[in-house]
């Protein structure tokens, strides 16, 4: 894991991504293709965790919107990953509403106090199994935990960036990701991380 629990290599591409986005905003189609190549695999993984086999269709809708609204985007490479994830999330939720399938909900879908956990849990839990199996397990988590894990581990956002996508405080995102990864680790029989620290539920938003 990189700094802040981000997957290895994500930060390394942010400079290239930011430069490509800036050129794409000036009309460089080849640069847009570079931005797509850098963002799409992780964005698709995030969407698979939300809508399963319909991820490709939802991603296509999201990229049409990203291309249409690119001129309005302001920010760097990390910001673009967050912005594109926000658009993809909106398209995924629209898709679920059209199917009249309510996204998974839980009593934990409220702000909770920050519960820091060792970053090694990310590696242990998700490197123990194939990507498809991991996404299947993630989809079985409560929605707040699933989205936090997907945004932190799959998309590679830091806690503030994931918080902006979800409309939650960074501490709440870190806690949800920690709990989701701990649950995954338990399911996989990975040596459990220490489970101490505050557990008090915070005030609902």
């Amino acid at each position: 894991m990189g700094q802040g629990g981000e997957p290895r290599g994500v930060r390394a591409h942010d400079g290239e991504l930011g430069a490509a986005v800036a050129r794409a905003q000036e009309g460089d189609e080849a640069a847009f293709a570079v931005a797509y190549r850098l963002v799409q695999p992780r964005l698709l993984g995030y969407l698979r965790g939300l809508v399963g086999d319909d991820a490709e269709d939802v991603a296509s809708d999201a990229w049409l919107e990203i291309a249409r609204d690119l001129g309005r985007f302001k920010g760097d490479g990390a910001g673009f990953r967050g912005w594109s994830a926000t658009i993809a999330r909106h398209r995924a939720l629209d898709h679920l509403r059209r199917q009249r399938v309510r996204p998974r909900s839980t009593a934990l879908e409220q702000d909770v106090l920050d519960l820091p956990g060792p970053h090694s849990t990310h590696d242990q839990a998700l490197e123990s199994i194939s990507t498809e199996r991991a996404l299947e397990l993630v989809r079985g988590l409560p929605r707040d935990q699933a989205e936090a894990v997907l945004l932190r581990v799959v998309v590679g956002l830091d806690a503030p960036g994931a918080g902006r996508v979800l409309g939650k405080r960074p501490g709440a995102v870190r806690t949800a990701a920690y709990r989701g990864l701990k649950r995954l680790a338990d399911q996989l029989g990975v040596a459990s991380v220490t489970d101490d620290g505050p557990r008090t539920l915070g005030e609902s938003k």
Side-chain angles (χ1 to χ4, degrees):
M1 281 294 141
Q3 183 181 5
E6 292 186 7
R8 298 181 189 92
V10 173
R11 275 181 180 269
H13 291 301
D14 276 348
E16 181 184 357
L17 177 58
V21 169
R23 292 196 309 274
Q25 288 179 312
E26 295 170 358
D28 186 334
E29 292 183 13
F32 186 82
V34 170
Y36 176 89
R37 176 177 56 79
L38 290 171
V39 172
Q40 171 68 353
R42 292 180 182 280
L43 198 66
L44 196 57
Y46 173 50
L47 288 171
R48 282 200 186 105
L50 295 180
V51 299
D53 292 339
D54 294 329
E56 294 270 5
D57 291 340
V58 174
S60 294
D61 289 344
W63 278 104
L64 286 173
E65 185 171 339
I66 290 166
R68 185 192 73 201
D69 295 342
L70 186 63
R72 295 188 216 164
F73 170 74
K74 290 183 174 61
D76 57 9
F80 183 78
R81 282 192 287 119
W83 182 70
S84 57
T86 300
I87 290 173
R89 181 176 190 260
H90 289 160
R91 296 289 69 77
L93 294 179
D94 286 347
H95 176 80
L96 291 170
R97 276 192 287 270
R98 281 196 300 272
Q99 289 188 321
R100 297 185 180 179
V101 175
R102 291 191 52 156
R104 194 179 301 275
S105 185
T106 170
L108 282 177
E109 193 146 320
Q110 53 187 328
D111 286 335
V112 289
L113 296 180
D114 190 12
L115 179 61
H119 299 318
S120 60
T121 315
H122 297 69
D123 289 332
Q124 289 177 322
L126 292 177
E127 286 178 4
S128 299
I129 45 176
S130 71
T131 302
E132 289 302 320
R133 176 68 176 141
L135 290 172
E136 182 182 328
L137 288 174
V138 169
R139 291 188 77 196
L141 294 173
R143 182 180 154 204
D144 66 322
Q145 295 178 18
E147 287 210 70
V149 169
L150 289 165
L151 288 169
R152 295 295 308 278
V153 179
V154 179
V155 180
L157 299 180
D158 60 13
R164 283 190 290 275
V165 173
L166 298 174
K168 293 180 177 290
R169 293 197 309 265
V173 173
R174 277 192 291 267
T175 301
Y178 169 82
R179 292 186 177 189
L181 287 164
K182 184 179 185 305
R183 183 177 295 199
L184 290 178
D186 290 345
Q187 289 175 351
L188 295 166
V190 175
S192 181
V193 295
T194 55
D195 188 19
D196 52 12
R199 300 192 193 178
T200 309
L201 287 175
E203 302 261 323
S204 292
K205 282 183 30 168

